[in-house]
Amino acid sequence: MRIVLIHPNYHSGGAEIAGSWPPAWVAYLAGHLRNAGYTDVTFIDAMTNHLDDDSLRDRLRDLNPDVVGVTAITPSIYVAENILKLAQEVVPGALRVLGGVHATFMYKQVLSEAPWVDVIVRGEGEEIFLNLIRAADSGKWLETRKSIKGLAYFDGDTITATPAAPTVKDLDAIDPDWSLLEWEKYIYVPLGKRVAIPNMARGCPFTCSFCSQWKFWRDYRVRDPKKVVDEIENLVNNHGVGFFILADEEPTINKKKFVQFCEELIARDLPRRVQWGINTRVTDIYRDRDLLKFYRKAGLVHVSLGTEAAAQLKLDQFNKETTVAQNKKAIQLLREADIFTEAQFIVGLDNETPETLEETFQMAWDWQPDLANWAMYTPWPFTPLFQELRDQVEVFDFSKYNFVTPIMKPAAMTRGELLDGVMKNYRRFYMRKALFHYPWRGTGYRRRYLLGCLTAFLKAGFARTFYDLGKAGYWGPQTKNKVHFDFDETRTIAEAQMEDWEASADRAARAAERREAVRAQMKDRAIDRNEGFKMPNGADVRACGGSTQQMDA
């Protein structure tokens, strides 16, 4: 079986300003295939290599694969669909497979708008894709697809989804094949070093309403720390990696295993050769305040905190379960441990105003993180918050769902005014940092790192790739009423997807009604049991203090 895996050529002005990121999905997927005997796997990184359609056609024609597999997040979904359209033209006999978070939850939408997609892998892909490849290799995939869990496809004119596959229970059994990647092209700009994104755990026990990762990975699982360090040592020794970011939503959840991971890095003297960063929650930082210097010794130099919003009202709406005071304290603790801090703010909900944008800036400056990011709220169409705000969503051009385009229009601002307000925050924050902080914050590593981060921002700013400013035509406050986001207004939610949403909403409403009915029934039964009940001495039942009434809650 000749298998070709392709990463879509999609770009936005967000995380890319810090470097070119290696697509970790292909390493884990290909490694699992290789261990099962499928070794003829080719990877095409169309994103890093900026490959256009003609280049992809030529590559596919030369490779003549039996299977073409593509992944996609929400903003890259149209590019991914187009790749499989090209595959249909060039290698019509190849099985065309699409995976990733967007296709997992929006498979009815995807198949409705791209019927040339043969099959969608729903959920984490290693075991599902392997089962699919085995079926294709036997020549009986059409006959056996109903028995493979975690798929979606057209069966005649009907979109069919098989039952969800179980999650991968033994993550240590997945041995990633990092050799498929062109490592000289994956550079972390602030340090000028090769960068990797290994995986220590999957899933998240928290249910932030704007996030989909906890739904995609479902249950929380952690790998053996020694196995993870084996993988990192391989990346350092064999691929020249000098910086890595753990792909986990929150690697510090399991404190015991995170400490073991740090101990193993130190035991192998890896912090001298590779540094690393993580995303995590402020509550974990406060919990581990006595261990932060130990984490720094293990090579942890950068922590990105999901502080999310300055206004506590927004934190509650996002279901973050954190407070503003905790955010400030976590940044202070990290600074004292000599770990660089990055504060993430989400802006652009319906209640955003110039005043709330100013509030986020003032809080960011008061907290004094080393870096601050203001990301546009992006209403992933498969999250709880999207369902709450769906009537307010006007844009269904998913190519713009990239954290830098204002999908939502605040009631009190235009989208151009929102973009201008965010740019104002960036300008003030990094200008002050450049003048009064970065050049004077110590010497050696800390200074180089901060100046490297500033260089990355300036480079993207001058190239106008930051925040897609070039595409939007933003040149400063004087253009805020002239910016154009070029939404494709022909994009709508497919009828099949809408029906699925309505059915899910109906099921949720009926479940809520049942819960309420049960509570009411239990309350009535309790009243019935208490009526006429006497104490053993014959006295009436009374509340504390002898009253006949309970206090109000």
Side-chain angles (χ1 to χ4, degrees), residues 168-172 199-203 205 219-228 248 250-258 260-261:
V168 178
K169 300 306 178 187
D170 185 7
L171 293 179
D172 293 320
N199 183 255
M200 181 174 173
R202 291 183 180 178
D219 55 321
Y220 180 68
R221 294 146 288 151
V222 187
R223 296 171 59 191
D224 180 347
K226 290 187 176 181
K227 294 284 188 180
V228 181
D248 310 28
E250 185 186 353
T252 53
I253 293 175
N254 190 317
K255 179 179 177 179
K256 179 180 178 181
K257 289 201 172 185
F258 189 74
Q260 290 174 349
F261 171 71

Side-chain angles (χ1 to χ4, degrees), residues 10-20 47 50 189 402-405 419 423 426 454-475:
Y10 176 85
H11 298 271
S12 68
E16 290 178 64
I17 68 171
S20 298
M47 180 179 179
H50 297 270
V189 173
N402 50 22
F403 292 112
V404 303
T405 304
L419 176 63
M423 289 303 105
Y426 274 112
L454 181 61
T455 298
F457 271 103
L458 291 175
K459 181 179 178 182
F462 283 120
R464 299 188 54 72
T465 55
F466 177 63
Y467 242 76
D468 269 354
L469 297 182
K471 294 179 183 178
Y474 177 84
W475 291 90

Side-chain angles (χ1 to χ4, degrees), residues 142-356:
L142 285 174
E143 294 87 341
T144 60
R145 58 185 178 175
K146 289 184 179 180
S147 64
I148 302 174
K149 293 183 177 180
L151 300 182
Y153 50 83
F154 265 111
D155 188 0
D157 295 329
T158 303
I159 295 175
T160 299
T162 62
T167 55
V168 178
K169 300 306 178 187
D170 185 7
L171 293 179
D172 293 320
I174 298 175
D175 182 18
D177 183 1
W178 291 106
S179 67
L180 288 173
L181 279 66
E182 302 171 88
W183 282 104
E184 70 279 3
K185 298 181 179 179
Y186 304 112
I187 303 298
Y188 185 57
V189 173
L191 294 176
K193 294 182 177 182
R194 294 185 184 183
V195 61
I197 311 178
N199 183 255
M200 181 174 173
R202 291 183 180 178
C204 181
F206 299 100
T207 57
C208 296
S209 62
F210 61 88
C211 182
S212 62
Q213 292 300 306
W214 58 274
K215 293 179 66 179
F216 182 80
W217 300 112
R218 290 149 66 189
D219 55 321
Y220 180 68
R221 294 146 288 151
V222 187
R223 296 171 59 191
D224 180 347
K226 290 187 176 181
K227 294 284 188 180
V228 181
V229 177
D230 286 344
E231 184 178 333
I232 291 167
E233 195 167 33
N234 168 52
L235 288 166
V236 173
N237 291 339
N238 298 320
H239 303 295
V241 169
F243 189 82
F244 69 87
I245 297 175
L246 288 177
D248 310 28
E249 296 304 304
E250 185 186 353
T252 53
I253 293 175
N254 190 317
K255 179 179 177 179
K256 179 180 178 181
K257 289 201 172 185
F258 189 74
V259 168
Q260 290 174 349
F261 171 71
C262 292
E263 290 173 340
E264 192 67 23
L265 287 169
I266 294 171
R268 302 191 199 187
D269 196 28
L270 281 170
R272 182 175 54 85
R273 304 168 61 197
V274 63
Q275 290 77 48
W276 49 289
I278 62 172
N279 298 287
T280 194
R281 291 169 61 88
V282 297
T283 49
D284 285 8
I285 296 301
Y286 188 77
R287 180 200 68 193
D288 296 350
R289 57 192 178 279
D290 295 331
L291 289 169
L292 295 180
K293 290 185 178 180
F294 165 70
Y295 295 162
R296 179 65 179 85
K297 182 180 178 182
L300 176 61
V301 298
H302 190 135
V303 172
S304 179
L305 293 170
T307 49
E308 311 305 1
Q312 186 62 45
L313 173 64
K314 289 184 181 178
L315 291 179
D316 295 339
Q317 185 178 18
F318 289 155
N319 198 25
K320 283 294 295 183
E321 303 175 23
T322 59
T323 67
V324 170
Q326 289 172 330
N327 293 336
K328 183 176 181 177
K329 184 62 176 179
I331 291 171
Q332 177 189 337
L333 291 169
L334 288 167
R335 186 167 55 244
E336 292 170 353
D338 195 30
I339 296 174
F340 304 109
T341 56
E342 181 176 359
Q344 302 282 355
F345 295 97
I346 292 179
V347 297
L349 270 78
D350 63 316
N351 61 348
E352 197 73 71
T353 64
E355 290 74 25
T356 58

